[in-house]
């Protein structure tokens, strides 16, 4: 077994360590979502936590880790008799991003279930993680239906596995921890809300602390066993403190004044629903137990708010998670009652007692004082709390400031986004699960059946029975059961929705440079980006102005990164429309090689003018030729017509015909302004085919 990096040897990361330890004390807090840039020890800290959890008593031979003191009466391996049982270390189970539904929840032997009525169940990762930790690295890249199953099990404490009327249920209570890099895309707000706490992490900018990180990591890699032995006493002390806090937790009380502060804080920050109030109450209680107190204080409420509320305040993917601490302090002061008197014994959160932080309960650190204080040893000076990056400084890749040169104008603010009509790719795809275009998917309405290729995942019962029925006499059937062979099984084919690659080609030339006009254009693109976020698309951004085009953002799942690039976009110069279309063609060509199943949708935002570029020749003819390249490859496209002059030239409409797509104005893009835009996209492609036929004739 490989040696894990010790939890107490992690340098800095006070909020992260505190959030993990609070969940270890009280799993009812609801787990932790760790957001941060790559290389910030997110995974290292999570994996190290498993070594601190106390051993778990289990029923010997039970695959579902039943507690011998109170066995689950519905356990598939039961019934169990109460007894002493055995002990095993707490598990940390990792859920791979590419895992299947059967791997997560378990699978049934369909052949035995049909032929013999036997529930031959193979447990999945949810069963393995029961009474331990379930860790999802890059949780934002996990398929939505897997996240739904995962969070439902975490909320209910059990998992249901159902296959065509055969049902198995087992306990699944675990500490859920997810890590993610916001550059690679965000979680939906509904899913963010299901994580109890969230923590933003970033690499320290303090040279001394960075040196200590490197020194410890190199020492660990040189001799993991010796390095772990050096921290064994601190690990044992912290493990003992977790056990003591768990024992104290049932005795902690929430006074009415504290509950009022929690409710007032959630109301002041306008969080949706009541889950935030409950999570704050549980977190504040865990903080008190961690500090060795039986009463919750206002400082506990403040710390709980900083961990439980930031991710619940986002209203769109363009909102940075965060909390106004001045407003928080004002709310707590306004509804402050009398804090309970401290216990007569010495405070465990003083500088020598190993409280929640190196300097007291308000600094967000998970411990201090070394083994004598029962907490985490000091981690160097580190940044003061006021030096820690604010939540709004989350690692969204910011473009370098672009200065407006000759013929350019500085970037303008985008207009308010609005709800757009659905743009979709015609036909039936097989791409990643999403919410935009029709596709063959694992989830959706059943449209037919086929022979399974590999493991059977979705049984088509009627087709299976129909395939097996003619052979019953030849197979010697005598009883009531149906004699089913492997060749009889049929896989259900289903139709749902897929996510697409939405590539924006945005004209930033001088003809678009009027401030009011460019503001409206940016608002429209932001609206489409928001729509892409909701439909689980990848997005990319190509801009063209002056004499050339550039890829402002390669295809990514992070729509807020695209929004940041768009916000900083200056305008001015000539209109190299052909260069923009050719650059978009190059981007799509590369993406087809990387991800051939994800179909693209090209959105060209322009007034249709073409006035120059590096290539010699008529700019309009060059643009038309570049557009026909996209049409020849069947790329679905939409031209957002930004022309605003009283006398319309119709250049964007002509470009749409060359692309084989459709043209819509900025006003028509609004959801309440047009009907049937999807039909227009399809009709545009049909019109292009007819046009090509006429040209050939």
């Amino acid at each position: 077994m490989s040696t894990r990096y010790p939890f107490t040897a992690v340098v800095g990361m006070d909020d992260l360590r505190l959030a993990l330890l609070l969940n270890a004390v009280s799993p009812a807090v609801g787990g932790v979502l760790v957001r941060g840039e790559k290389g910030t020890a997110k995974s290292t800290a999570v994996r190290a936590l498993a070594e601190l959890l106390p051993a778990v008593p289990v029923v010997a031979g039970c695959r579902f880790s039943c507690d011998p003191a109170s066995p689950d009466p519905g356990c598939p391996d039961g019934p169990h008799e109460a007894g002493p049982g055995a002990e095993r270390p707490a598990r940390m189970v990792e859920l791979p991003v590419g895992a299947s539904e059967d791997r997560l929840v378990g699978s049934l032997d369909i052949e035995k279930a049909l032929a013999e009525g036997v529930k031959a169940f193979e447990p999945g990762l949810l069963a393995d993680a029961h009474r331990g930790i379930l860790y999802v690295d890059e949780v934002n890249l996990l398929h939505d239906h897997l996240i739904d199953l995962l969070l439902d099990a975490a909320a209910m404490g059990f998992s249901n596995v159902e296959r065509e009327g055969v049902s198995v249920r087992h306990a699944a209570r675990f500490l859920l921890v997810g890590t993610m890099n916001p550059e690679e895309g965000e979680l939906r707000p509904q899913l963010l809300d299901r994580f109890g706490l969230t923590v933003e992490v970033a690499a320290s900018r303090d040279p001394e602390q960075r040196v200590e990180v490197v020194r410890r990591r190199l020492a660990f890699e040189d001799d993991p066993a010796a390095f772990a032995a050096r921290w064994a006493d601190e690990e044992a002390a912290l493990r003992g403190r977790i056990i003591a806090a768990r024992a104290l937790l049932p005795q902690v009380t929430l006074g009415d004044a504290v509950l009022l502060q929690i409710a007032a804080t959630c109301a002041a920050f306008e969080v949706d629903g009541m889950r935030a109030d409950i999570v704050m109450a549980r977190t504040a209680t865990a903080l008190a137990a961690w500090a060795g107190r039986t009463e919750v204080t206002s400082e506990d409420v403040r710390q709980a708010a900083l961990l439980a509320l930031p991710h619940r305040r986002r209203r769109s993917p363009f909102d940075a998670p965060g909390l106004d601490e001045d407003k928080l302090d004002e709310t707590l002061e306004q509804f402050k009652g009398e804090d309970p008197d401290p216990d007569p014994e010495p405070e465990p959160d003083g500088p020598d007692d190993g409280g929640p932080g190196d300097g007291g309960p308000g600094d967000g650190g998970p411990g201090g004082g070394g083994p004598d204080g029962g907490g985490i040893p000091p981690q160097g000076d580190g940044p003061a709390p006021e030096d820690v990056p604010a939540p709004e400084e989350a690692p969204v890749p910011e473009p370098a400031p672009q200065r407006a040169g000759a013929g350019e104008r500085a970037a303008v603010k985008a207009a308010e986004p609005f709800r757009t009509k659905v743009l979709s790719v015609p036909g039936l795809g097989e791409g990643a699960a999403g919410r935009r275009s029709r596709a063959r998917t694992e989830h959706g309405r059943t449209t037919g059946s086929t022979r399974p290729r590999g493991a059977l995942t979705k049984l088509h019962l009627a087709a299976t029975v129909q395939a097996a029925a003619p052979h019953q006499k030849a197979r010697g059937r005598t009883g009531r059961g149906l004699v089913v062979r492997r060749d009889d099984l049929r896989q259900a084919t289903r139709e749902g929705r897929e996510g697409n690659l939405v590539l924006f080609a945005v004209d930033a030339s001088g003809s678009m440079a009027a401030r009011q006009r460019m503001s409206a254009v940016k608002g429209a693109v932001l609206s489409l980006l928001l729509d892409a976020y909701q439909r689980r698309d990848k997005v990319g951004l190509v801009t063209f102005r002056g004499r050339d085009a550039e890829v402002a953002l390669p295809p990514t799942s992070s729509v807020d990164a695209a929004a940041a690039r768009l916000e900083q976009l200056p305008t001015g110069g000539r209109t190299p429309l052909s260069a923009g279309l050719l650059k978009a063609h190059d981007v799509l060509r590369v993406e087809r090689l990387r991800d051939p199943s994800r179909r693209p949708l090209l959105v060209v935002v322009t007034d249709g003018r073409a006035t120059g570029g590096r290539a010699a020749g008529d700019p309009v003819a060059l643009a038309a030729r570049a557009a026909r390249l996209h049409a020849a490859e069947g790329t679905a496209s939409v031209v957002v017509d930004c022309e605003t002059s009283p006398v319309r030239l119709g250049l964007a409409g002509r470009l749409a015909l060359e692309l084989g797509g459709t043209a819509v104005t900025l006003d028509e893009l609004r959801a309440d302004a047009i009907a049937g835009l999807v039909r227009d996209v399809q009709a545009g492609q049909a019109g292009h085919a007819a046009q090509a036929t006429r040209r050939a004739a």
Side-chain angles (χ1 to χ4, degrees):
M1 182 177 178
S2 61
T3 302
R4 286 178 175 153
Y5 193 90
F7 188 88
T8 49
V10 174
V11 178
M13 303 297 173
D14 289 345
D15 285 344
L16 170 58
R17 294 186 297 152
L18 176 62
L20 291 172
L21 289 170
L22 292 178
N23 273 272
V25 171
S26 176
V29 166
V32 185
L33 176 64
V34 186
R35 297 164 44 93
E37 58 197 22
K38 51 189 176 292
T40 50
K42 302 187 297 291
S43 300
T44 299
V46 174
R47 293 188 176 102
L49 179 67
E51 300 295 325
L52 296 176
L53 299 183
V56 178
V58 296
V59 173
C62 178
R63 297 175 297 167
F64 301 88
S65 302
C66 281
D67 187 346
S70 56
D72 180 5
C75 176
D77 283 356
H80 303 299
E81 294 184 1
E87 280 195 349
R88 64 159 175 79
R91 292 175 182 158
M92 194 199 73
V93 177
E94 294 195 41
L95 174 61
V97 169
S100 66
E101 180 180 337
D102 285 347
R103 184 72 186 97
L104 177 63
V105 301
S107 59
L108 292 170
D109 189 327
I110 300 296
E111 190 170 345
K112 284 187 177 180
L114 286 175
E116 305 172 24
V118 176
K119 296 180 181 179
F121 180 66
E122 185 65 29
L125 295 177
L126 290 180
D128 293 342
H130 179 46
R131 304 175 70 198
I133 300 174
L134 183 60
Y135 172 47
V136 189
D137 194 13
E138 306 295 352
V139 65
N140 51 324
L141 303 183
L142 200 63
H143 283 184
D144 282 357
H145 73 281
L146 292 182
I147 295 179
D148 292 336
L149 291 170
L150 177 65
L151 295 177
D152 283 345
M156 295 185 296
F158 60 84
S159 173
N160 273 333
V161 185
E162 299 192 18
R163 293 291 188 275
E164 308 298 340
V166 181
S167 176
V168 173
R169 171 173 167 164
H170 65 84
R173 293 183 296 275
F174 46 81
L175 168 56
L176 176 63
V177 182
T179 57
M180 61 174 283
N181 183 347
E183 295 178 12
E184 297 172 336
E186 287 287 354
L187 282 172
R188 303 197 315 264
Q190 301 94 318
L191 303 182
L192 281 172
D193 187 53
R194 300 295 286 273
F195 282 94
L197 309 179
T198 187
V199 178
E200 297 280 340
V201 296
S204 172
R205 299 297 182 257
D206 177 18
E208 292 185 3
Q209 197 170 59
R210 295 174 75 98
V211 166
E212 185 62 22
V213 171
V214 175
R215 182 182 292 118
R216 292 187 188 183
R217 188 68 203 186
L218 293 178
F220 173 75
E221 292 175 355
D222 288 343
D223 192 341
F227 185 84
R230 284 171 46 196
W231 295 89
D233 291 342
E234 287 84 350
E235 293 279 291
L238 193 57
R239 187 179 301 110
R241 187 173 175 191
I242 291 173
I243 295 173
R246 283 186 174 185
L248 183 62
L249 187 65
Q251 304 173 37
V252 178
T253 59
L254 276 167
D256 290 342
V258 170
L259 283 172
L260 181 60
Q261 282 187 317
I262 291 173
T265 301
C266 293
F269 286 100
E270 299 180 350
V271 295
D272 295 331
M274 295 297 298
R275 185 175 283 119
D277 304 64
I278 297 171
V279 170
M280 274 189 64
R282 289 171 174 167
T283 305
T285 303
L287 279 162
W290 179 248
R293 289 182 271 103
T294 57
E295 296 281 353
V296 176
T297 67
S298 294
E299 191 58 43
D300 296 329
V301 175
R302 185 182 192 279
Q303 183 66 64
L306 293 174
L307 293 172
L309 296 188
H311 62 300
R312 292 184 164 89
R313 299 194 62 247
R314 300 190 72 187
R315 292 296 183 268
S316 81
F318 312 131
D319 296 335
L323 211 63
D324 184 341
E325 294 194 33
D326 290 337
K327 182 177 179 180
L328 173 61
D329 292 336
E330 290 174 5
T331 304
L332 293 176
E333 185 64 30
Q334 180 181 355
F335 291 90
K336 184 176 182 179
E338 290 296 326
D339 274 345
D341 293 332
D343 292 336
E345 61 267 17
E347 282 289 318
D349 54 331
D352 300 319
D353 298 328
D358 292 341
D363 66 359
D372 295 337
I376 295 176
Q379 307 294 334
D381 294 336
E386 60 270 15
D387 297 329
V388 177
E392 50 265 36
E393 296 176 5
V396 173
E398 291 291 343
Q402 303 185 49
R403 297 180 180 178
E408 293 184 357
R409 300 186 183 182
V412 299
K413 300 286 287 185
E416 191 70 21
F418 52 85
R419 188 169 65 90
T420 67
K421 273 290 184 179
V422 180
L423 306 175
S424 68
V425 179
L428 192 64
E430 295 182 348
R435 298 183 176 185
R436 183 171 296 278
S437 305
R438 294 174 56 222
R440 297 183 184 91
T441 60
E442 287 292 322
H443 297 270
R445 63 185 181 90
T446 301
T447 58
S449 65
T450 185
R451 290 181 181 272
R453 293 178 295 181
L456 179 72
T457 56
K458 297 291 183 182
L459 177 73
H460 194 296
L461 182 59
T464 299
V465 172
Q466 187 176 6
H471 307 290
Q472 297 306 296
K473 185 175 182 180
R475 294 173 182 173
R477 173 187 170 188
T478 57
R480 298 176 59 185
L482 191 67
V483 181
V484 179
R485 303 279 172 83
R486 173 70 188 175
D487 289 344
D488 300 327
L489 300 179
R490 295 293 183 270
Q491 176 87 17
T493 57
R494 302 191 174 193
E495 182 178 313
R497 293 280 169 176
E498 68 177 359
N500 298 111
L501 166 59
V502 182
L503 180 64
F504 295 92
V506 180
D507 184 351
S509 65
S511 65
M512 304 279 288
R515 295 187 65 84
Q516 186 175 359
R517 183 181 183 190
M518 197 60 195
S519 176
V521 168
K522 286 187 175 183
V525 177
L526 280 177
S527 303
L528 292 168
L529 284 172
L530 181 57
D531 182 69
Y533 164 78
Q534 294 168 341
R535 301 186 187 283
R536 314 303 290 167
D537 295 317
K538 290 180 70 174
V539 296
L541 179 62
V542 171
T543 63
F544 52 95
R545 62 188 174 89
R547 300 187 63 192
D548 212 344
E550 64 175 350
V551 180
L553 184 73
T556 175
S557 296
S558 180
V559 296
D560 50 346
R565 293 292 195 271
L566 183 71
E567 192 69 25
Q568 298 295 324
L569 179 65
T571 58
R574 300 175 70 83
T575 311
L577 179 56
S578 61
L581 294 174
L582 290 174
K583 183 68 72 174
H585 182 268
D586 290 342
V587 171
L588 295 180
R589 177 179 55 80
V590 172
E591 285 302 308
R592 284 191 180 96
L593 296 175
R594 290 177 177 169
D595 190 358
S597 63
R598 188 181 288 269
R599 298 186 295 162
L601 174 64
L602 176 64
V603 179
V604 184
V605 185
T606 181
D607 57 8
R609 297 176 186 270
T611 58
R614 294 186 181 276
D618 179 13
V620 176
L622 291 173
R625 186 184 305 170
R628 288 194 290 271
L629 285 176
H630 290 280
E633 294 182 351
T635 302
S637 58
V638 175
V639 178
V640 179
D641 184 358
C642 303
E643 188 177 15
T644 57
S645 59
V647 179
R648 301 185 62 84
L649 301 178
L651 299 177
R654 295 179 202 172
L655 177 63
L657 287 176
E658 296 289 355
L659 285 166
T662 187
V664 295
T665 65
L666 291 175
D667 290 336
E668 291 172 338
L669 192 60
R670 294 179 179 271
D672 54 357
I674 61 172
L677 185 54
V678 177
R679 294 194 297 273
D680 290 344
V681 174
Q682 297 169 339
Q685 290 217 337
H688 173 73
Q691 185 184 40
T693 303
R694 289 194 300 271
R695 284 176 180 166

